[in-house]
Amino acid sequence: MEKMGYSLYLSERVEELLREGTLQEILKLVECDLQEEWKRTPPNDTNTRELIYHEIHALNRIDLKLQAIVDSLSFARRD
């Protein structure tokens, strides 16, 4: 069954992970690792810094997508 473009199963599992906080904790750990890696790179190592920058933004996009999935489930439940 699909609601708002996402399967109900996927939406409910994502909601569980977000509600319990595990997923946010993992994403935060990865982001912190990336930020530390970025701090350790020499300022003139623009290639590495740019890659790390994009990885951090990709994590943020994942977080936004997960929240959108949960929001779509909440919206579908109101119908």
Side-chain angles (χ1 to χ4, degrees):
M1 178 176 184
E2 285 196 19
K3 292 281 190 178
M4 304 292 290
Y6 304 108
S7 74
L8 186 57
Y9 176 80
L10 173 66
S11 299
E12 288 173 345
R13 296 301 72 78
V14 170
E15 182 182 41
E16 270 181 37
L17 290 170
L18 290 176
R19 186 178 43 237
E20 71 181 19
T22 302
L23 199 51
Q24 292 98 325
E25 190 173 334
I26 292 168
L27 291 173
K28 192 64 178 168
L29 288 170
V30 173
E31 183 178 355
C32 287
D33 287 348
L34 288 168
Q35 288 174 349
E36 286 301 315
E37 188 178 339
W38 188 84
K39 290 175 186 175
R40 287 191 305 268
T41 60
N44 61 345
D45 189 356
T46 55
N47 288 337
T48 302
R49 285 176 162 238
E50 188 172 324
L51 288 172
I52 294 169
Y53 172 84
H54 289 295
E55 287 182 55
I56 291 170
H57 282 278
L59 282 175
N60 290 331
R61 287 186 70 174
I62 291 168
D63 192 36
L64 287 173
K65 177 56 90 174
L66 294 172
Q67 191 57 55
I69 291 170
V70 172
D71 290 348
S72 72
L73 178 62
S74 297
F75 183 75
R77 285 179 177 156
R78 286 187 258 165
D79 290 341

